[in-house]
Amino acid sequence: MYLYLGHGPRVLYLITSPHDERLGRPRRALVFRVGDSPIQAVVEFLSKDEIDLTNTVRLTNRVIKGCLGLISVEGDIFLALITSATEVGNTRPSGSKPESVARIHEVSFFSLTSSAWDDLPVSPEGSLGTDGVEGLQIRDYAQTSTPPPLFEHPCLPLTKIISSGSFYYALESPWDLSSRLAVRLARDTPSGDVVAFDERFVWNEYIVRSLLDFRDRLDPSERRDLDYCQFIVLAIQGYVGVFTMSLPAPPTNGTPTIATLALISRLGWKRAGTRFNTRGVDDDGNTANFVETETVFSTDQHCVSYVQVRGSVPLFWEQQGLQTFGQRIQITRPQASQPAFERHFSQLMDEYGAIHAINLLGSKENEQSLTTAYGRHLQIARGATGDDLSITHFDFHSLVKTGGHDSVIRDLK
């Protein structure tokens, strides 16, 4: 895809490239302009032949990989676009269609409302000094010792986060990266339907929602074209790795059996935050650092998916400081924890079925109070859930300290 800018009024054109069209994608364009209100964007989905690019300029030499959505920042509306990404691999070669994944390396934000930011790079490296901004009236600092101020793009903080290398999206044939394999196979909707996703793990759901609503209002044939063009991208945060290996099995048709192992970790956004600043559970049952990890093992004849989830202990608690050990754990709102605790496990059981929790907290005084409270809350919750909810306490840190990580593997065997 290429991005063009038209003037009078200001319009952004996201159009398919010749390479896209050689892949069989329709010759189409997604057009963005400001509506009657400066906080309202108008979107059109047109044939590429209807667009006159004569008096337009190409805003970036980068090939656009997809659109993450629209966001309003400091009174301007910005279009979020992926400008650099690399393919990780096909997570399930045995599927009827490729299920490939790309890793995002860089995103850019282009304003629909103002040209003030057209000359400012939005790269994660930082901001420009005043001498790097054209067309702005600035005072002469040559006679003073005061350094010139920095002009920071309003979307620079977002750019740094999304360009961190921890965001991924489904590539080529559209498929739902946010949902585990069992859920995708059980759906009645077509595999290429971009609106079928697990909203817990789609990090750009808020800014892409307006585009998804626009898509829903298109007639079926237009909707299919929009999906095939892959203008709209749904991104997860976490990790995706794809590995191939030869199996020590008798060759089939004279060739060795090749297996693919894909590891997909999806980080939830509902209680996001850095490790030591966000702990425990909220009133809605969402835990900090919640991750669903899926391991997909496939050959040309078989495919197996194994899923596990992890998260912070689902109680109201805090831990001050930046050190893992030695910082006092404080259980807050102890009387209010049980409803949130049960809401958390109820949601897990609705999603995954029976749950067996593994508590990796240690037996030291600092963590023992949390382990005790965890066990007490779970015992009360089992009054309603029965045997569908159980727990194993496993002092991971103590075992590793005495025998190393290999001792954990031996113990599990």
Side-chain angles (χ1 to χ4, degrees):
M1 304 170 210
Y2 296 142
L3 180 67
Y4 289 86
L5 169 65
H7 297 281
R10 184 178 175 88
V11 183
L12 295 180
Y13 302 95
L14 186 60
I15 67 171
T16 53
S17 67
H19 175 72
D20 295 327
E21 292 152 15
R22 285 194 295 270
L23 294 176
R25 297 175 186 172
R27 291 170 48 84
R28 302 304 293 261
L30 206 53
V31 183
F32 302 86
R33 58 183 172 85
V34 179
D36 297 332
S37 166
I39 61 172
Q40 181 186 47
V42 175
V43 183
E44 296 177 277
F45 185 53
L46 304 176
S47 168
K48 189 175 176 180
D49 298 328
E50 299 179 57
I51 306 298
D52 183 7
L53 299 177
T54 306
N55 297 316
T56 63
V57 294
R58 191 169 163 188
L59 267 182
T60 174
N61 290 326
R62 296 286 189 89
V63 174
I64 305 300
K65 305 296 184 179
C67 176
L68 291 169
L70 292 161
I71 185 170
S72 177
V73 182
E74 298 181 4
D76 284 336
I77 299 176
F78 291 91
L79 180 65
L81 299 177
I82 302 171
T83 51
S84 178
T86 56
E87 182 175 352
V88 175
N90 186 353
T91 60
R92 192 166 67 102
S94 60
S96 58
K97 294 182 179 180
E99 294 184 356
S100 299
V101 176
R103 181 185 183 188
I104 298 174
H105 295 292
E106 190 172 330
V107 297
S108 296
F109 291 81
F110 299 92
S111 175
L112 272 64
T113 50
S114 171
S115 61
W117 308 109
D118 287 351
D119 296 321
L120 280 180
V122 203
S123 63
E125 283 77 12
S127 311
L128 279 184
T130 53
D131 56 349
V133 183
E134 299 176 4
L136 293 178
Q137 299 298 316
I138 59 175
R139 60 172 292 191
D140 185 5
Y141 287 90
Q143 305 302 319
T144 70
S145 59
T146 305
L150 295 179
F151 289 88
E152 182 176 283
H153 194 289
C155 299
L156 182 60
L158 276 175
T159 304
K160 290 181 177 180
I161 294 172
I162 305 175
S163 302
S164 63
S166 62
F167 286 83
Y168 300 82
Y169 66 96
L171 192 63
E172 297 305 331
S173 173
W175 63 285
D176 178 20
L177 176 59
S178 68
S179 298
R180 60 195 186 276
L181 178 61
V183 171
R184 300 201 308 273
L185 295 178
R187 283 182 184 144
D188 295 329
T189 56
S191 60
D193 191 343
V194 299
V195 298
F197 60 88
D198 190 330
E199 53 93 22
R200 297 177 301 165
F201 304 119
V202 175
W203 277 70
N204 63 318
E205 195 271 344
Y206 176 75
I207 64 173
V208 82
R209 173 49 57 190
S210 59
L211 293 181
L212 295 179
D213 292 341
F214 166 77
R215 174 195 177 276
D216 289 342
R217 293 191 292 269
L218 298 174
D219 64 53
S221 62
E222 292 280 283
R223 196 180 305 145
R224 282 193 298 271
D225 278 0
L226 180 65
D227 293 347
Y228 290 149
C229 289
Q230 291 191 265
F231 285 125
I232 300 175
V233 167
L234 303 180
I236 70 165
Q237 186 178 18
Y239 172 80
V240 179
V242 178
F243 313 91
T244 58
M245 63 199 79
S246 298
L247 296 183
T252 303
N253 299 326
T255 60
T257 301
I258 303 297
T260 298
L261 184 69
L263 185 66
I264 306 172
S265 287
R266 308 172 178 100
L267 177 64
W269 57 263
K270 290 191 174 182
R271 187 160 168 75
T274 56
R275 182 181 177 191
F276 290 98
N277 291 325
T278 308
R279 295 287 206 183
V281 71
D282 63 16
D283 288 292
D284 295 323
N286 303 306
T287 57
N289 298 305
F290 181 82
V291 180
E292 177 189 87
T293 297
E294 179 177 23
T295 304
V296 181
F297 179 83
S298 59
T299 66
D300 57 350
Q301 296 178 334
H302 305 284
C303 182
V304 179
S305 168
Y306 173 74
V307 177
Q308 62 181 18
V309 298
R310 61 137 291 164
S312 186
V313 174
L315 304 172
F316 294 114
W317 63 282
E318 299 175 352
Q319 186 178 26
Q320 302 298 322
L322 298 178
Q323 299 298 320
T324 306
F325 305 104
Q327 299 299 326
R328 182 175 178 80
I329 291 175
Q330 181 181 3
I331 298 178
T332 61
R333 302 173 59 194
Q335 305 305 319
S337 285
Q338 192 67 40
F341 182 94
E342 294 184 7
R343 192 171 293 117
H344 170 70
F345 277 105
S346 176
Q347 293 167 358
L348 289 184
M349 294 172 72
D350 288 343
E351 182 69 34
Y352 301 103
I355 298 293
H356 185 90
I358 301 178
N359 172 31
L360 299 181
L361 291 172
S363 56
K364 291 185 177 180
E365 177 185 357
N366 201 28
E367 297 182 357
Q368 185 59 47
S369 60
L370 202 54
T371 292
T372 302
Y374 193 175
R376 183 172 63 251
H377 280 73
L378 189 134
Q379 191 62 36
I380 296 173
R382 289 192 64 186
T385 63
D387 294 336
D388 286 341
L389 178 60
S390 54
I391 190 170
T392 294
H393 296 285
F394 188 83
D395 193 340
F396 178 80
H397 297 297
S398 176
L399 196 62
V400 170
K401 184 177 180 180
T402 56
H405 287 85
D406 290 342
S407 65
V408 177
I409 299 175
R410 291 193 300 269
D411 195 59
L412 293 177
K413 287 180 179 181

